[in-house]
């Protein structure tokens, strides 16, 4: 339930702008190329919720340590071909993902 609220935010703030989406928030990638945003979503929410910083680099550092290190696309040297070719939706839109996740908490205080 909680995760669904976060996912709806992400869909409306990130996926609607994604080159791999249908402009309405639905993903057009085939299952065989599932976006890391979908694949690692619970871990992404958990990681973002732990950080409060004005610097995106602080979030990126945590993303690399938590999500990328558990992702099958990254090798033991820390290289990710999907990231390198700008094909990771999570990496490509990470600032928007942070904004979407953090907006859930902000909405509660309004
Ligand atoms: S590739 Fe990722 S960011 Fe893009 S529409 Fe699909 S789930 Fe959303
Ligand atoms: S950047 Fe690469 S390793 Fe990190 S989540 Fe995306 S696909 Fe996985």
């Amino acid at each position: 339930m909680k995760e669904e609220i976060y996912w709806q935010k992400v869909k409306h703030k990130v996926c609607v702008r994604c080159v791999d989406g249908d402009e309405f928030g639905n993903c057009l990638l085939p299952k065989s190329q599932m976006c890391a945003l979908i694949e690692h979503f619970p871990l992404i929410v958990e990681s973002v919720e732990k950080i409060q910083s004005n610097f995106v680099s602080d979030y990126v550092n945590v993303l690399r340590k938590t999500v990328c290190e558990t992702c099958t696309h990254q090798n033991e040297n820390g290289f990710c071909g999907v990231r390198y070719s700008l094909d990771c939706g999570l990496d490509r839109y990470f600032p928007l993902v942070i904004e979407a996740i953090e907006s859930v908490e902000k909405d509660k205080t309004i």
Side-chain angles (χ1 to χ4, degrees), residues 62-80:
V62 172
L63 170 78
R64 297 276 180 268
K65 281 202 186 83
T66 54
V67 180
C68 295
E69 281 193 7
T70 63
C71 182
T72 52
H73 295 294
Q74 182 164 291
N75 71 17
E76 64 278 8
N77 298 322
F79 176 78
C80 170

Side-chain angles (χ1 to χ4, degrees), residues 45-102:
V45 172
E46 195 185 306
S47 304
V48 169
E49 278 187 318
K50 282 186 190 153
I51 312 162
Q52 276 202 325
S53 171
N54 292 324
F55 302 103
V56 175
S57 58
D58 289 336
Y59 291 85
V60 172
N61 289 339
V62 172
L63 170 78
R64 297 276 180 268
K65 281 202 186 83
T66 54
V67 180
C68 295
E69 281 193 7
T70 63
C71 182
T72 52
H73 295 294
Q74 182 164 291
N75 71 17
E76 64 278 8
N77 298 322
F79 176 78
C80 170
V82 183
R83 180 167 69 233
Y84 185 73
S85 57
L86 304 181
D87 284 326
C88 175
L90 169 61
D91 194 70
R92 214 166 46 208
Y93 301 112
F94 196 43
L96 283 177
V97 174
I98 297 165
E99 203 182 297
I101 291 172
E102 291 191 334

Side-chain angles (χ1 to χ4, degrees), residues 22-36:
D22 67 355
E23 296 182 10
F24 299 101
N26 302 302
C27 188
L28 297 177
L29 286 178
K31 263 200 169 150
S32 58
Q33 292 174 34
M34 186 189 276
C35 177

